[in-house]
Amino acid sequence: MSLIYLENISFGYPNCGLVLSNLDFKVEEGEKIALLGGNGAGKTTLFYIILGLLSPFSGEVELFGKRCITEKDFSGPRKRIGLLFQDPDDQLFSPSVIEDVSFGPLNLGMNRKKALEISRYWLDRLGILHLEKRVPYELSGGEKKLVALASVLSMGPDVLLLDEPMAGLEERAVERFLSVLKDESFKAFVVITHMPRLLEGEITRALFLEKGRLSPGPPC
Amino acid sequence: MTCEHMAQGKSLLHRADPRVKIMVAILLSLEVVFLSSLISLFLALVSAAFMLFSTRIDTRLLLKRLLVVNVFVVLLWLIIPFSTPGPALFTLGPFTLTSTGLLLCLVITLKCNAIVMFNMSLLSTSTVFALAHALDHLKVPSVLVQLFFFSWRYLHVLEEEYMRIKRAAVLRGFRPGTNLFTYRTYANILGTLFVRSYDRGQRVYWAMVCRGFDGTFWLLQHFRLRGTDFLLMSFTALLSTSLLFIQWRS
Amino acid sequence: MHISEGVLSIPVLAAGAAITVAGLAIGIRKVPPRKLPKVALLTAAFFVASLVHVPIGPSNAHLVLNGLLGVLLGWAAFPAIFIGLVLQAVLFQFGGLTTLGVNTANMAIPGVVFGLIARRFLSLKMPTFSAIVAGLAGGMSILGSGLLVAISLGLSGDSFSLVSRLIFTAHLPIALVEAFITGFSIRFLLRVRPEMVGCTSPLRREESAKKTLNAALVALVAFLMIVPQGVQAHRVNLFAWFDGENIVGRAYYSNGRPAIEAALKVKKEGFRESFRLKTDKEGRFSFTPKGPGNYELVLEAGQGHMAKAYVQVKFNETLKTGKGSNTTQGEADAKGSFYEEKERPFKKDSVIKGVPGSIKKCQDMEKTLDRLLIRRLEPIRRELEALAVSQNKVTLRDVISGVGYILGIVGIWAYLLSRREK
Ligand SMILES: Nc1ncnc2c1ncn2[C@@H]1O[C@H](COP(=O)(O)OP(=O)(O)OP(=O)(O)O)[C@@H](O)[C@H]1O
Ligand SMILES: [Mg+2]
């Protein structure tokens, strides 16, 4: 069983041609994938399609071995697949960092105490526990990115989809992020990045998105 | 431009529970509206000013804000005393100054400034998020509270976006004037802003859905009443009863 | 345009608050969780837009864009405008808590009405036409706001009549600018993101019928708010009558206060010349007319307050004998001056003077007295009538507040219902 299985996906936005055309994509357990591609190639769009946020013109989406079509089909898998948005401002909306990070766990039905505990753990893991009480919109770009990452990780996802997680991060922050990827036992992750060299040694394969299709990318 | 300048501070009112502050602000504002005797209005104004100065917010900022509020009041002073029927004080050409009009203006000025000062010292000394939390605790419909804090949350992002677009336009030689081109340019800038906000709204919702959002918001911040709050409550009780008392006596 | 704190009367504030509660209750129901972030983001965008100053001639104005908000959000514009005003109150201290209701209603009602109407005409195929319709909606929304602001002030007291007229006039140039900006914005959005204007999926018939109904409802509310303005047009009332001897009367404002020392111009039909007199401290006046005929009385109370009254003077034949002295007096006066001003319009003893001695004539006299009484009571009756009329105006105001209250209660009910649905 593949964790994520896309077959023959086509998609385009209104009034601009096809972004993805007849695309196939498969993620097996244990795979660590880097997704590369030029600006506007459709990488972010692909993530949205995987999670059912956009519906493809044609093709099938299968998550954890189940065919997903309706909104309801997606709601289960969404809790197991963590998506980090490209712009952390899209993701952070709570009055304080800790509330934002515990938003996910609370929605999963955890009690308040447990949710706070888990949130603090992840903030600490990423080295930003001191930001706990701060207001998310007042943080710097890199800090926002880390908080957004913590808010995804705190849900305890099996699969991670990360949209440019390292953009704007300082060296130490990148290191902490990589150590999280290495130490935690995620079943699989896909990372969109423009700097594949930073991920050297952390990934099993690279894919290149071009003209709406995926092709094996340069080995790292 | 859209910063919570007044919310920064350590004064008694800054530290008070926003739930209490909201209730007190509503109570006092409503009461002032009902007052009509000059003495009670003066008392209201004086106590409002006292509260405002106890917050120790920068006086220049306070005065600037009050000045803006009073622009409308000044307009009224220029017109109402002459347009109100009543016993004439003196006549100046076609204009007759009436004492009824003057009294009305005085009442309006006192009321307006008292209410705005209460508002400033009680509401503006809390952060918007604290107010949103407090409103939620006060059982205001959740959709309204969410709209309130979401709007506030993205205000800065959008403002920055607007400034970026505008700056780019200005850098490319855009000079606003009274002409259709200017209006069309503004419309395009604003249209861009709306499109971006719309898309962002979409993505924010997606981000929430991805984290298991199903319509409920969870509150983490809880308020506890403290000494400060009881002090504020008793002050309010004293003030409002004495205002009513004076009003009834006169 | 914001109305400041402390200006409006309590019924107006209450009605505004009630209407806003109703609007919010409806608006909230149109914001499902799915749409909430979008509405909030657009609210924020409009808040930012309202900080934009656009040049008009030598001055500049900040945008309101309630029409555009209505086009984009429909009923959800109500909560959006409300939130915008709350934020302004908290951040900039423009306005406060008590006027929140009135100000929201004044901006949101025209925005929602014209927005919902304009939406039905927007189409991808006719971008220019759509832009013009949207522009009209934008301009009309501002005019509607200006009108509602003027009405709120006008209903709060006669003193604000001039201010409200000035404020309405100040809205005219802004309406023009907003019309252009709204029109151009809609054209932009139709080109770039037509689904924002609801143009990708053709409106289902059912839905558009519902929308029309909603628009009609709001139009009704707006109409109810506008009507009393016309009723209120006559600000000063003049009542005059002939009591068989003098023309007496009273002048007062529609709120019941007398028009003190107001100038009264009297003209007799068929005569060129007129004469003037002033009302006394109670707004009363009295003078002796010269002979029978029709008299025109014009009261000028300043600031364009004007009232007219016509009095027919007819000396009753039967009374003439009984009040012989009066007739002669009138004739005598006519030689000296055109009129005679008097302190007391009623001379009680003058009637008794003419009483004949014989008992036979007693019954006659009784009849005369009866008729006289009726005549004397006539003005009181008329004044009572007039009072009823002026009371009527107060009732109309009450009707508006009443409508507001009803709407408010309906709104709360709708809100509770929506809660239960969840
Ligand atoms: N909401 C939208 N409406 C219309 N077109 C869109 C929208 N979002 C994206 N596009 C277009 O779709 C294409 C793919 O966008 P996408 O965001 O997936 O690119 P990307 O690969 O993530 O690029 P980047 O590396 O710059 O993030 C782009 O050409 C973009 O212009
Ligand atoms: Mg991208």
Side-chain angles (χ1 to χ4, degrees):
Chain A
M1 180 196 77
S2 347
L3 298 174
I4 297 172
Y5 179 70
L6 301 185
E7 193 186 357
N8 205 17
I9 295 286
S10 294
F11 179 81
Y13 292 96
N15 58 39
C16 70
L18 280 186
V19 177
L20 308 173
S21 61
N22 303 322
L23 173 139
D24 297 318
F25 183 44
K26 206 193 282 187
V27 180
E28 303 288 350
E29 196 160 335
E31 277 197 302
K32 303 170 178 185
I33 301 171
L35 183 56
L36 313 175
N39 289 124
K43 306 179 293 290
T44 304
T45 308
L46 180 61
F47 275 9
Y48 292 160
I49 299 250
I50 292 174
L51 284 173
L53 301 172
L54 294 172
S55 340
F57 295 166
S58 66
E60 284 179 19
V61 181
E62 229 179 80
L63 301 174
F64 303 105
K66 272 213 194 95
R67 180 107 189 263
C68 296
I69 301 164
T70 61
E71 188 66 19
K72 222 175 175 183
D73 300 334
F74 281 105
S75 65
R78 273 179 197 158
K79 290 176 184 162
R80 298 176 60 191
I81 301 178
L83 170 62
L84 178 75
F85 281 68
Q86 186 166 3
D87 183 350
D89 266 321
D90 294 341
Q91 213 159 354
L92 306 176
F93 48 78
S94 297
S96 69
V97 166
I98 187 75
E99 270 171 285
D100 230 319
V101 179
S102 50
F103 178 81
L106 285 172
N107 282 331
L108 291 181
M110 246 175 244
N111 69 24
R112 200 180 302 278
K113 207 169 142 231
K114 190 88 189 299
L116 283 176
E117 198 177 299
I118 284 189
S119 306
R120 294 223 169 84
Y121 168 77
W122 282 110
L123 286 175
D124 197 29
R125 258 323 274 283
L126 294 169
I128 47 168
L129 190 55
H130 59 282
L131 299 178
E132 186 188 1
K133 292 260 157 57
R134 293 278 297 277
V135 183
Y137 68 78
E138 286 172 351
L139 301 176
S140 78
E143 286 172 332
K144 277 185 209 168
K145 197 110 212 181
L146 287 172
V147 173
L149 192 61
S151 72
V152 170
L153 293 172
S154 66
M155 294 191 56
D158 294 329
V159 180
L160 283 179
L161 302 179
L162 307 174
D163 200 339
E164 300 191 19
M166 295 171 297
L169 293 194
E170 53 147 345
E171 225 169 292
R172 269 175 306 159
V174 171
E175 268 164 35
R176 270 196 297 264
F177 163 68
L178 290 178
S179 81
V180 168
L181 279 193
K182 205 185 308 188
D183 300 346
E184 297 295 324
S185 50
F186 300 110
K187 286 194 176 143
F189 61 76
V190 184
V191 179
I192 296 178
T193 181
H194 293 296
M195 297 169 289
R197 224 162 298 144
L198 284 176
L199 283 173
E200 232 171 335
E202 309 296 338
I203 52 176
T204 55
R205 65 179 171 132
L207 288 171
F208 201 78
L209 181 59
E210 201 179 21
K211 294 190 184 132
R213 283 162 172 274
L214 285 169
S215 53
C220 311
Chain B
M1 167 153 66
T2 49
C3 286
E4 303 164 300
H5 291 299
M6 296 197 179
Q8 267 112 49
K10 294 261 175 295
S11 75
L12 223 63
L13 279 173
H14 280 100
R15 278 180 284 133
D17 186 332
R19 286 175 305 171
V20 177
K21 287 200 279 185
I22 291 173
M23 297 310 285
V24 168
I26 291 175
L27 178 78
L28 289 179
S29 301
L30 284 184
E31 197 171 352
V32 170
V33 167
F34 277 93
L35 294 182
S36 58
S37 91
L38 279 183
I39 310 172
S40 56
L41 281 172
F42 264 118
L43 178 62
L45 185 76
V46 169
S47 39
F50 165 74
M51 276 166 84
L52 192 55
F53 283 106
S54 81
T55 61
R56 277 173 276 159
I57 300 170
D58 181 22
T59 323
R60 256 184 317 176
L61 178 66
L62 290 182
L63 288 180
K64 220 164 72 187
R65 291 290 161 82
L66 282 175
L67 203 72
V68 174
V69 169
N70 279 294
V71 168
F72 188 74
V73 174
V74 170
L75 180 80
L76 292 184
W77 273 98
L78 291 179
I79 298 168
I80 300 270
F82 301 99
S83 71
T84 306
L89 281 186
F90 69 87
T91 310
L92 209 144
F95 304 111
T96 330
L97 190 84
T98 65
S99 53
T100 335
L102 279 181
L103 192 71
L104 182 64
C105 274
L106 190 60
V107 167
I108 287 175
T109 312
L110 290 174
K111 276 188 184 181
C112 177
N113 282 290
I115 294 176
V116 170
M117 281 181 180
F118 279 134
N119 184 356
M120 273 181 173
S121 49
L122 289 165
L123 299 182
S124 301
T125 49
S126 293
T127 61
V128 173
F129 281 134
L131 289 179
H133 268 305
L135 288 176
D136 207 285
H137 282 289
L138 291 173
K139 303 274 178 280
V140 170
S142 142
V143 175
L144 269 187
V145 178
Q146 288 164 39
L147 276 180
F148 181 55
F149 88 57
F150 264 102
S151 312
W152 167 243
R153 160 67 182 87
Y154 287 101
L155 205 58
H156 303 265
V157 179
L158 294 186
E159 199 188 330
E160 250 164 52
E161 248 162 44
Y162 169 73
M163 292 313 273
R164 271 205 303 270
I165 308 170
K166 170 100 185 286
R167 214 174 294 135
V170 169
L171 283 178
R172 281 184 287 162
F174 170 58
R175 294 276 171 280
T178 309
N179 51 47
L180 273 193
F181 177 73
T182 301
Y183 297 151
R184 201 170 57 218
T185 309
Y186 269 115
N188 289 347
I189 292 177
L190 292 176
T192 309
L193 187 70
F194 295 143
V195 169
R196 288 198 192 174
S197 350
Y198 182 83
D199 288 353
R200 192 184 284 279
Q202 182 74 62
R203 290 197 305 271
V204 168
Y205 178 67
W206 285 347
M208 288 162 68
V209 166
C210 285
R211 287 156 76 194
F213 176 69
D214 61 353
T216 34
F217 269 88
W218 306 89
L219 278 180
L220 279 184
Q221 196 174 338
H222 285 280
F223 303 107
R224 222 173 332 124
L225 295 181
R226 280 173 308 181
T228 329
D229 305 312
F230 292 113
L231 191 67
L232 180 58
M233 282 193 239
S234 26
F235 174 77
T236 311
L238 279 180
L239 178 62
S240 50
T241 33
S242 40
L243 287 178
L244 281 184
F245 186 69
I246 298 173
Q247 172 73 28
W248 282 331
R249 285 294 297 275
S250 53
Chain C
M1 174 81 206
H2 283 92
I3 303 177
S4 295
E5 294 290 324
V7 177
L8 297 177
S9 70
I10 292 162
V12 173
L13 290 174
I19 289 173
T20 297
V21 168
L24 286 179
I26 299 172
I28 284 174
R29 299 191 66 177
K30 305 273 165 175
V31 188
R34 181 170 49 83
K35 278 197 187 157
L36 197 136
K38 270 187 210 167
V39 174
L41 264 290
L42 282 176
T43 305
F46 278 96
F47 187 89
V48 172
S50 75
L51 301 176
V52 175
H53 284 256
V54 174
I56 311 181
S59 160
N60 60 37
H62 73 87
L63 298 172
V64 183
L65 296 179
N66 53 347
L68 187 55
L69 205 54
V71 173
L72 294 185
L73 292 179
W75 274 102
F78 234 107
I81 288 173
F82 177 75
I83 297 292
L85 289 177
V86 171
L87 279 174
Q88 284 196 343
V90 174
L91 299 175
F92 303 132
Q93 293 81 38
F94 292 169
L97 295 175
T98 65
T99 50
L100 215 49
V102 175
N103 283 332
T104 306
N106 286 348
M107 285 188 210
I109 290 174
V112 171
V113 172
F114 293 114
L116 285 179
I117 294 172
R119 250 199 209 185
R120 312 203 53 219
F121 296 97
L122 302 185
S123 105
L124 261 179
K125 284 184 207 122
M126 301 179 287
T128 314
F129 172 73
S130 305
I132 291 170
V133 169
L136 279 177
M140 290 299 285
S141 301
I142 294 294
L143 286 185
S145 274
L147 193 63
L148 288 179
V149 168
I151 290 171
S152 318
L153 284 169
L155 286 176
S156 290
D158 291 336
S159 317
F160 299 110
S161 58
L162 188 61
V163 179
S164 59
R165 252 173 285 157
L166 277 179
I167 285 180
F168 181 71
T169 319
H171 277 80
L172 296 177
I174 304 175
L176 202 67
V177 173
E178 293 250 351
F180 282 124
I181 295 216
T182 307
F184 285 132
S185 294
I186 287 296
R187 210 177 66 171
F188 178 91
L189 292 179
L190 276 176
R191 215 183 304 156
V192 177
R193 200 57 46 93
E195 67 261 32
M196 265 179 90
V197 206
C199 268
T200 40
S201 60
L203 293 176
R204 266 174 290 139
R205 208 173 273 155
E206 222 177 51
E207 214 171 33
S208 57
K210 225 194 261 170
K211 273 178 191 164
T212 320
L213 202 78
N214 284 339
L217 190 83
V218 182
L220 186 77
V221 176
F223 178 66
L224 277 175
M225 291 195 71
I226 290 163
V227 167
Q229 189 73 354
V231 180
Q232 282 241 319
H234 302 289
R235 281 281 149 68
V236 59
N237 302 316
L238 174 66
F239 288 97
W241 61 91
F242 179 59
D243 69 349
E245 189 174 341
N246 300 308
I247 291 183
V248 295
R250 209 163 90 75
Y252 52 86
Y253 296 101
S254 46
N255 59 3
R257 259 179 294 143
I260 300 157
E261 296 188 340
L264 188 73
K265 204 169 83 179
V266 182
K267 235 186 105 193
K268 189 179 171 185
E269 203 177 69
F271 287 81
R272 273 277 207 74
E273 73 272 37
S274 60
F275 63 89
R276 291 171 172 279
L277 65 153
K278 284 210 161 168
T279 58
D280 67 5
K281 290 246 157 58
E282 288 170 326
R284 294 182 182 282
F285 59 87
S286 148
F287 62 90
T288 310
K290 181 208 166 193
N294 288 328
Y295 287 79
E296 185 195 65
L297 282 68
V298 180
L299 184 85
E300 287 160 346
Q303 275 81 43
H305 289 321
M306 215 175 80
K308 267 189 190 174
Y310 296 93
V311 180
Q312 197 184 35
V313 174
K314 215 164 52 181
F315 291 105
N316 197 309
E317 292 300 320
T318 49
L319 270 179
K320 222 169 193 178
T321 45
K323 291 171 50 166
S325 59
N326 284 337
T327 333
T328 41
Q329 193 194 359
E331 275 161 15
D333 283 344
K335 280 171 207 151
S337 65
F338 191 61
Y339 76 101
E340 183 194 21
E341 216 171 326
K342 291 209 167 160
E343 294 288 358
R344 296 251 123 245
F346 304 110
K347 278 198 214 159
K348 279 181 195 131
D349 49 0
S350 70
V351 184
I352 301 159
K353 246 188 214 167
V355 174
S358 74
I359 303 164
K360 191 196 161 213
K361 280 197 174 174
C362 244
Q363 288 170 336
D364 247 4
M365 196 192 72
E366 227 169 77
K367 268 185 197 164
T368 319
L369 259 175
D370 268 357
R371 239 181 287 160
L372 211 65
L373 259 175
I374 290 168
R375 193 178 294 252
R376 285 276 151 101
L377 284 173
E378 172 76 9
I380 298 173
R381 195 179 66 85
R382 280 224 243 147
E383 202 160 358
L384 275 174
E385 267 173 21
L387 205 68
V389 170
S390 69
Q391 289 256 310
N392 227 359
K393 276 172 199 157
V394 178
T395 329
L396 251 170
R397 279 190 201 181
D398 292 345
V399 166
I400 305 154
S401 331
V403 168
Y405 285 125
I406 290 168
L407 277 178
I409 290 164
V410 169
I412 292 167
W413 176 71
Y415 162 66
L416 287 177
L417 217 69
S418 71
R419 276 219 143 171
R420 210 176 298 158
E421 268 174 25
K422 282 180 207 160

